[in-house]
Each structure stands twice: as structure tokens, then as C-alpha cells.
């Protein structure tokens, strides 16, 4: 690990919609979520995605651009992260192949789409993106999401749950059932190239294993559900005050909005945490866990030196590619994602475990609030 990061306290001013909020995260004005520690979480020497995908040699996929490869790989990765069977992943690839040739399309009839990264410009109705979503139908999430290939891949897999018996259908028919194309035979024409893409990209696409390295990490049913619930929003934007028990609000999450959603979903609605880090830490369902006994799905609350209340919360994710990691909504401009736990070295860590007595692993020793050790310089 590199040198420990120096915690920079954000006790200053947040300006939003013409209103100035003063103070730290324990004030009434900041209760919708935690204030971001921008100097620390924005550091780029700590990778945003800990589980890095293996590179693909260009010679193994001739005829494809890097962008096309990335969109195909995203479809595979998102599907596997969600536990979608290979049949569903194949259908998603067939759909992207037929609809866009794995290109992220803006649309000349949707001027706002041109503001976002794109590979080509089309004019088919108001369809945008690799899976050609109609802006007039699906645009309530905002154009930033609609032009995000990862969001569109997630959209495709969401639609599978609405199709009764899709697991018994051919992949091309599944693609048609989702896309409802005027040319239903278009998808089967891409079967051979999709098979080749799966063979080339499938083994190398490093889908993050939620629950992580089972050789070094022990999880339980409740903790796994917490991670699974949060992980479905990977890549969504950070929105201050965003998120509630139903999912994202205003297009995203802040740190405590993501954790309250994940705990609510994992408990089937039994536990609804407040939207404030310190109140989540002090919640009556929270069981203290000593440092060293944390398991995936536990929440870790971070408090800067000299402060009384926590300023950030993340979900412990175990060890990923040899790096002890958390899953969290970090700060403005940083999508919901994994991050190295070592970013908070030197701050106090309060670890809490939630869930019912039946599916929550017991804490072995008496719990204590501890400060994360600061390595010698």
C-alpha cells in the first residue's frame, strides 16, 4: 500500500440551489446524507474499480473497435454480476449486436444525447444507446443514464424478469421479446459473432464476485444480501441526499442513502435506517463488531480525527484481487463503486452488523470502537 492518506476535514460550506449550509455532517442541514471528503475520495492513485478486467489482445477480436469490445464486455459483466444465466447474457449480446453493432448511439432528434460520449449518431425515432432505448419512453432516468452502456445493459436484464418463461426460450426470441423489433428475425443473424465474442471475452471479463475471496472472507446470508442489493447500482451517480429504501432518488445515491437501501432490501423491509450516518451507526439493530472480525455486508463508519460523528459509511466487501475493499457512494463525480479500505487509514472505524438473529453471524468477542491502525511512515 502507498503512504497513508491525510484526512482533510470538510467542515466548510456546501452551496446548493442558492442556499449556503454551514457546519459538519452532524448538523440538521446535512442530515439527508454524508458530506463527501473530496480531497481523499477523489484521489486517482486509489483505483475506482478494484477488480480490474483482464486486457484483450486486439488480434483476438479483429474487426472490433475498443468501444465495441467494451460494450460487449459490459453486457457480459453486468449479466454475470447479477447472476443471469448464460442464455440471458447471450440474448443481451444478440440485442446489442442487432440494434447498434455494439455502438453507443446518440440521436440527432434528441439533441441532449449529443452532449454525452457516443460512438455514432443515428436518427431512428428517438432511440439512443447500444440497446436503442426510446428517450420518450425510458427517459425519466435522465439522459446521462440513458447514454450509459452499463445502465442500458442493466435495463435489458431488468426486462427479463418481466418475461414469463424466458429461460425456456431461444436467445434470439428473448432478445425480440425485450426489444420488440419490427424485424424480429434480425437477432438470430448475429448468433455466430456473439458466440465468438462470448468465447473471447467471457473468460477474461472479471465480474466482481460479491462476497469476494472465500479463502480469506467468511460471509453470511444477510451480509450477502446487503452486498447483492447494493451491487445492482454499481456505476450509478453520486447524488447528495440521494437514495431511499426504494432505490435511487434524483438519479443516484449518497453514502447513507445507498446503505439504507441495501439494509432495507436485505431485511425484506424490516429494517429501515435513517438517512444520516451517525444515526445508522447508533441504530438499535446495529451490533458492534471489532476490527478484524468484519464480514462482507457489514457497514463501516468513518470518523475523522478530532470529530465526534462519522462523515462517511461504506459496505465492507471483503478482499478483491488481494485488496481489502468496500462498496460505497463516494462523492460528487465518482460513481457508486468499489474502493480500497486503506483510503481511511488513520481515521476511526466503527463497524456495525445488521440482520435478524437467525441469519446474522455472531460477533465472537466483546465489541469495541477502534481506530484503524496508522502504518509507520
Amino acid at each position: 500500500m502507498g503512504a497513508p492518506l491525510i484526512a482533510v476535514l470538510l467542515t466548510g460550506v456546501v452551496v446548493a440551489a442558492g442556499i449556503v449550509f454551514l457546519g459538519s455532517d452532524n448538523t440538521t442541514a446535512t442530515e439527508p446524507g454524508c458530506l463527501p471528503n473530496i480531497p481523499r475520495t477523489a484521489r486517482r492513485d486509489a483505483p475506482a474499480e478494484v477488480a480490474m478486467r483482464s486486457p484483450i489482445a486486439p488480434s483476438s477480436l479483429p474487426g472490433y473497435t475498443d468501444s465495441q469490445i467494451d460494450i460487449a464486455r459490459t453486457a457480459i459483466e453486468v449479466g454475470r454480476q447479477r447472476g443471469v444465466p448464460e442464455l440471458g447474457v447471450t440474448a443481451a449480446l444478440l440485442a446489442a449486436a442487432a440494434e447498434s453493432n455494439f455502438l453507443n448511439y446518440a440521436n440527432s432528434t434528441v439533441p441532449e444525447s449529443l452532449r454525452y460520449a457516443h460512438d455514432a449518431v443515428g436518427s431512428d425515432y428517438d432511440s439512443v444507446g447500444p440497446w436503442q432505448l426510446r428517450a420518450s419512453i425510458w427517459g425519466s432516468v435522465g439522459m446521462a443514464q440513458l447514454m450509459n452502456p452499463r445502465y442500458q445493459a442493466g435495463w435489458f436484464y431488468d426486462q427479463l424478469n418481466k418475461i414469463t418463461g424466458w429461460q425456456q426460450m431461444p436467445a434470439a426470441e428473448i432478445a425480440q421479446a425485450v426489444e420488440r423489433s419490427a424485424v424480429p428475425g434480425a437477432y438470430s443473424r448475429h448468433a455466430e459473432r456473439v458466440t465468438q465474442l462470448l468465447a473471447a471475452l467471457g473468460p477474461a471479463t472479471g465480474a466482481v464476485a460479491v462476497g469476494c475471496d472465500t479463502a480469506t472472507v467468511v460471509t453470511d446470508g444477510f451480509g450477502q444480501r446487503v452486498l447483492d442489493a447494493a451491487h445492482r447500482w454499481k456505476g450509478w451517480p453520486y447524488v447528495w441526499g440521494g437514495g431511499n429504501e426504494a432505490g435511487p432518488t434524483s438519479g443516484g445515491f449518497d453514502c447513507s442513502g445507498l446503505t439504507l437501501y441495501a439494509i432495507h432490501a436485505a431485511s425484506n423491509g424490516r429494517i429501515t435506517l435513517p438517512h444520516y450516518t451517525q444515526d445508522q451507526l447508533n441504530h438499535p439493530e446495529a451490533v458492534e463488531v471489532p476490527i478484524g472480525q468484519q464480514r462482507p455486508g457489514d457497514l463501516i463508519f468513518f470518523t475523522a480525527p478530532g470529530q465526534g460523528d462519522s462523515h462517511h459509511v461504506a459496505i465492507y466487501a471483503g478482499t478483491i484481487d488481494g485488496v481489502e475493499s468496500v462498496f460505497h457512494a463516494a462523492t460528487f463525480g465518482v460513481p457508486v463503486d468499489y474502493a480500497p479500505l486503506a483510503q481511511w487509514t488513520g481515521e476511526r472505524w466503527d463497524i456495525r452488523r445488521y440482520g435478524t438473529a437467525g441469519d446474522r453471524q455472531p460477533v465472537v468477542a466483546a465489541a469495541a470502537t477502534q481506530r484503524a491502525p496508522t502504518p509507520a511512515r
Side-chain angles (χ1 to χ4, degrees):
M1 293 295 178
L5 302 179
I6 300 175
V8 180
L9 303 182
L10 184 60
T11 58
V13 182
V14 175
V15 181
I19 301 174
V20 179
F21 297 99
L22 298 175
S24 63
D25 195 26
N26 60 353
T27 64
T28 301
T30 62
E31 282 192 0
C34 61
L35 290 176
N37 189 325
I38 293 173
R40 181 185 63 248
T41 55
R43 284 181 61 118
R44 287 298 180 251
D45 57 348
E49 183 169 331
V50 177
M52 301 303 291
R53 297 181 288 195
S54 304
I56 296 296
S59 59
S60 66
L61 286 170
Y64 290 94
T65 66
D66 288 346
S67 179
Q68 287 174 303
I69 292 171
D70 194 56
I71 287 172
R73 186 159 47 184
T74 294
I76 299 170
E77 183 179 77
V78 172
R80 290 184 177 169
Q81 287 169 352
R82 292 183 172 212
V84 176
E86 202 77 349
L87 176 64
V89 174
T90 302
L93 289 169
L94 288 174
E99 295 292 336
S100 70
N101 192 27
F102 300 106
L103 297 173
N104 194 19
Y105 267 89
N107 193 305
S108 59
T109 68
V110 186
E112 187 184 0
S113 68
L114 300 171
R115 296 170 44 203
Y116 297 91
H118 56 275
D119 305 313
V121 179
S123 58
D124 182 25
Y125 294 98
D126 56 352
S127 301
V128 299
W131 282 268
Q132 290 288 275
L133 302 191
R134 295 283 302 273
S136 58
I137 298 174
W138 304 102
S140 62
V141 297
M143 192 55 61
Q145 288 299 325
L146 219 55
M147 290 296 295
N148 182 340
R150 182 171 291 275
Y151 171 81
Q152 287 217 359
W155 170 88
F156 186 93
Y157 294 122
D158 286 341
Q159 307 316 302
L160 294 183
N161 295 327
K162 303 175 184 178
I163 302 171
T164 302
W166 69 265
Q167 296 89 341
Q168 285 74 49
M169 296 166 57
E173 289 185 16
I174 297 171
Q176 167 62 14
V178 172
E179 296 286 348
R180 302 180 184 180
S181 170
V183 188
Y187 303 107
S188 59
R189 300 170 193 165
H190 298 273
E192 183 175 352
R193 65 189 295 216
V194 164
T195 299
Q196 293 171 347
L197 283 168
L198 274 170
L201 294 175
T205 299
V208 177
V210 179
C212 310
D213 185 357
T214 56
T216 58
V217 175
V218 179
T219 187
D220 57 53
F222 187 85
Q224 186 68 56
R225 293 198 299 273
V226 172
L227 266 177
D228 288 345
H231 185 83
R232 66 171 299 196
W233 303 107
K234 183 177 183 291
W236 277 62
Y238 177 93
V239 173
W240 187 81
N244 61 23
E245 62 272 14
T249 61
S250 302
F253 293 92
D254 67 6
C255 66
S256 53
L258 179 66
T259 53
L260 80 84
Y261 167 79
I263 295 294
H264 187 270
S267 66
N268 295 317
R270 192 182 67 82
I271 305 173
T272 302
L273 300 178
H275 200 152
Y276 173 48
T277 56
Q278 192 65 26
D279 286 345
Q280 292 186 357
L281 190 160
N282 295 331
H283 194 272
E285 286 282 346
V287 174
E288 296 181 43
V289 178
I291 288 178
Q293 293 189 26
Q294 63 266 24
R295 294 189 175 96
D298 290 346
L299 302 191
I300 304 182
F301 298 84
F302 304 99
T303 304
Q307 297 298 298
D309 282 5
S310 56
H311 66 84
H312 189 63
V313 59
I315 303 169
Y316 184 67
T319 301
I320 302 174
D321 286 359
V323 178
E324 195 169 22
S325 305
V326 296
F327 189 78
H328 68 153
T331 186
F332 297 100
V334 181
V336 173
D337 211 336
Y338 293 88
L341 179 58
Q343 286 191 34
W344 292 273
T345 296
E347 295 198 5
R348 192 178 78 235
W349 298 358
D350 294 293
I351 305 170
R352 296 293 184 267
R353 187 169 298 160
Y354 303 78
T356 63
D359 63 8
R360 182 174 59 206
Q361 292 288 336
V363 177
V364 175
T369 297
Q370 304 180 40
R371 183 179 301 282
T374 302
R377 293 183 182 274

